[in-house]
Amino acid sequence: MGVTVKIPTQLRSVTGGEAEAVIDGATTVGEVLDRLYERYEGLRDRISDDGALRRFVNVYVGGEDIRFLDGLETPVQDGDEVTILPAVAGGR
Amino acid sequence: MAVEALRCKECGERYPLDARYVCERCFGPLEVEYDLSAIDASALRARIESGPASIWRYADLLPFATPPASPLPVGLTPLVRADRLAERLGLGEVWVKNDAANPTHSFKDRVVAVAIAKARELGYSVVACASTGNLAQAVAAHAAAAGLDAYVFIPADLEREKVLATGVYGAKIVAVEGTYDDVNRLCTELSAEREWAFVNVNVRPYYAEGSKTLGYEIAEQLGFELPDRVVCPIASGSMFTKIARAFDELVELGLVARPERGGPIFCGAQAAGCAPVAEAFANGWDVCRPVKPNTIAKSLAIGNPADGPYALELARRSGGTIEAVSDREIVEGIELLAETTGIFPETAGGVTVAVLRKLAEQGKIAPDERVVVLNTGEGLKTLDAIADAVEVIRIEPRLEAFDRAFGLAGAAAS
């Protein structure tokens, strides 16, 4: 069943409007993103810079920020949900 | 009116002035861009000084083509000279900007007034926010005054007083099982699915502009002069950077001069139990590592601060710092401000005063500096913080009992 990636509205112009993508066979968040970059042209430059995520991009696995886990090395398995969101929100 | 466009702070891409907050090219935050070149400074000053006793006296420098109708007046809060606080700390001149004196008793009334005015202009009938208290109350109150529906998303374990002080305005309160950062993430996702104005998400660029009015007011209340140093609490880092932006605009307009010694110096204040920006400052990082908050200063407990990188840049560029203080120091800061000025701050104000004290004790503030310290909220909002610090002496209703308790027997006769 693979890993489900939730795509934010700001990136849907490069995913042809898709709000979700399912990635099979990836074992880490970094691999999930690499597969996404292969699938959607132009996505890589939007959220990454020199192989690292841009500083205003947040990625979550099962709702947990990957910076609390192992970053791009965070393991994923079938059934996991990966969410990409802009970091720019908040102010309570 | 000088408002031009939304502009990405990272890559400079421009967007129209609608409900959006993030650059589609690089995910950077968007900020309102103005063209100040056509503004006549002396005419602007006259408009400010004859304007309403609220933030709308600065309407020329806010993101509206025409000044909006805003039914609940906000701002122009007192700037109080705090000589007894200065004396206690061995400083020359200290002022407290007391933003507890707003309709819902915190600085959030400023940002929400601007966000809701913009939401109405853009045609929204529902406003929403993620909040742990101050923002929730401000959104609920200003939505009520404007006749809009409000949805307020809070962490499920929020204190009863804060829930009640929000619900009284008729807002729909949604208790989310998780932390503030979880609530915020949910709202970011929801903002893509609902045609609502989330004040701190999709209309955030406008919301953030409201904090500039703190800077304008401080300058005007000092007689159109800038302070040498500002000590300001940091949660997301937005207010900290917007006060600096306000000062920069006033300098660009020629309405104020830079202080002779340069600056103003910007010092940020965080609670040690949630100090991602102070940690990054101390380590020389240009981004923040998110943390899981654990502090009594709940209004500052953002573990993943959106404007952290810009707050770091400002502190470094201005020769300032970002310091963290313990919960114990925060309570002492609350008491210090209350005992020396008569202003009772919420925990965030305690954080700020505690950092002022720390800087003073470290000798980092010159004796002739003019320092402005911000109190962003009312102490009654966080009464629990001082519950153990207040002593009550209980006596029987007899003179001897009083004399026994206070050791004053015979003092009145002598």
Side-chain angles (χ1 to χ4, degrees):
Chain A
M1 61 196 203
V3 174
T4 302
V5 184
K6 301 188 85 172
I7 315 273
T9 46
Q10 294 84 4
L11 289 178
R12 291 180 197 166
S13 61
V14 292
T15 63
E18 294 291 331
E20 277 187 11
V22 176
I23 301 290
D24 290 311
T27 60
T28 65
V29 170
E31 285 177 28
V32 169
L33 293 176
D34 284 340
R35 299 289 176 81
L36 274 184
Y37 300 155
E38 287 163 23
R39 188 177 301 181
Y40 302 115
E41 196 185 334
L43 180 62
R44 183 190 303 270
D45 290 346
R46 301 280 283 276
I47 62 171
S48 75
D49 190 16
D50 273 345
L53 288 171
R54 291 185 184 274
R55 64 180 180 170
F56 287 99
V57 176
N58 286 354
V59 175
Y60 304 83
V61 175
E64 184 74 312
D65 191 319
I66 61 168
R67 289 172 294 185
F68 287 119
L69 305 169
D70 284 324
L72 293 175
E73 300 302 314
T74 301
V76 292
Q77 54 190 359
D78 278 3
D80 277 350
E81 189 174 270
V82 173
T83 306
I84 304 170
L85 283 178
V88 186
R92 53 179 45 180
Chain B
M1 297 291 163
V3 60
E4 289 276 299
L6 293 176
R7 183 171 183 274
C8 176
K9 287 176 81 170
E10 293 285 290
C11 76
E13 182 83 357
R14 286 190 173 79
Y15 297 91
L17 289 157
D18 55 17
R20 66 174 75 219
Y21 65 106
V22 59
C23 177
E24 294 190 4
R25 253 176 49 179
C26 75
F27 265 41
L30 303 183
E31 185 166 59
V32 180
E33 183 179 49
Y34 300 83
D35 178 4
L36 304 180
S37 61
I39 293 182
D40 176 325
S42 58
L44 173 58
R45 178 165 168 167
R47 277 200 298 283
I48 290 172
E49 289 177 318
S50 64
S54 74
I55 59 170
W56 302 113
R57 65 205 278 111
Y58 311 106
D60 286 82
L61 304 173
L62 292 172
F64 300 94
T66 51
S70 186
L72 188 58
V74 168
L76 216 61
T77 56
L79 183 70
V80 179
R81 182 152 175 158
D83 286 338
R84 294 192 65 240
L85 175 61
E87 191 182 338
R88 187 82 78 88
L89 297 176
L91 299 175
E93 186 179 336
V94 176
W95 298 78
V96 178
K97 179 64 172 166
N98 186 20
D99 240 22
N102 268 314
T104 68
H105 317 292
S106 87
F107 95 99
K108 288 296 183 190
D109 284 307
R110 297 176 185 276
V111 285
V112 169
V114 173
I116 287 188
K118 196 67 184 181
R120 292 174 87 187
E121 185 188 286
L122 293 172
Y124 288 97
S125 56
V126 180
V127 294
C129 70
S131 175
T132 60
N134 286 338
L135 180 59
Q137 290 167 32
V139 165
H142 290 267
L148 303 179
D149 285 338
Y151 284 79
V152 172
F153 295 80
I154 56 172
D157 64 354
L158 194 60
E159 300 93 320
R160 183 178 147 82
E161 303 82 49
K162 292 180 181 169
V163 176
L164 297 180
T166 303
V168 72
Y169 301 107
K172 291 178 189 67
I173 300 175
V174 186
V176 179
E177 292 165 3
T179 64
Y180 171 75
D181 291 300
D182 295 324
V183 180
N184 199 30
R185 179 177 52 78
L186 174 66
C187 284
T188 307
E189 292 183 81
L190 262 176
S191 71
E193 311 297 331
R194 291 280 191 282
E195 286 295 310
W196 295 352
F198 281 81
V199 298
N200 53 347
V201 185
N202 55 348
V203 292
R204 191 173 195 267
Y206 310 103
Y207 161 94
E209 289 292 286
S211 290
K212 290 196 307 184
T213 58
L214 272 166
Y216 302 142
E217 288 179 19
I218 289 167
E220 184 183 356
Q221 289 168 322
L222 290 174
F224 286 91
E225 289 184 12
L226 297 184
D228 295 307
R229 185 183 298 264
V230 176
V231 186
C232 175
I234 291 183
S236 75
S238 174
M239 180 180 76
F240 187 64
T241 56
K242 288 294 183 178
I243 293 172
R245 176 127 195 256
F247 290 165
D248 289 344
E249 287 174 353
L250 296 180
V251 170
E252 184 185 335
L253 285 162
L255 281 177
V256 300
R258 290 254 170 237
E260 280 176 27
R261 68 179 82 228
I265 297 165
F266 274 83
C267 299
Q270 294 210 289
C274 181
V277 195
E279 184 195 24
F281 185 88
N283 288 303
W285 304 335
D286 65 354
V287 291
C288 300
R289 191 178 65 186
V291 300
K292 306 269 186 191
N294 180 19
T295 170
I296 58 168
K298 293 190 176 141
S299 64
L300 300 183
I302 295 184
N304 192 359
D307 282 295
Y310 301 119
L312 289 164
E313 283 167 19
L314 171 61
R316 290 183 179 127
R317 185 175 73 236
S318 70
T321 183
I322 298 170
E323 297 281 341
V325 287
S326 69
D327 282 359
R328 186 199 161 105
E329 290 172 304
I330 294 168
V331 173
E332 290 169 358
I334 292 172
E335 293 177 297
L336 177 61
L337 189 68
E339 290 169 8
T340 57
T341 66
I343 296 168
F344 174 26
E346 67 155 33
T347 44
V351 171
T352 313
V353 172
V355 165
L356 174 73
R357 190 181 86 173
K358 191 170 174 180
L359 295 173
E361 286 173 355
Q362 291 169 349
K364 292 198 174 148
I365 302 176
D368 59 341
E369 275 185 37
R370 175 188 276 176
V371 181
V372 170
V373 53
L374 278 97
N375 175 40
T376 49
E378 163 63 49
L380 293 172
K381 287 173 181 268
T382 56
L383 270 180
D384 284 351
I386 50 127
D388 294 334
V390 173
E391 187 188 6
V392 177
I393 294 155
R394 187 182 177 110
I395 61 167
E396 300 152 34
R398 291 186 297 113
L399 278 174
E400 310 89 84
F402 177 80
D403 286 348
R404 199 160 54 237
F406 287 88
L408 298 175
S414 62

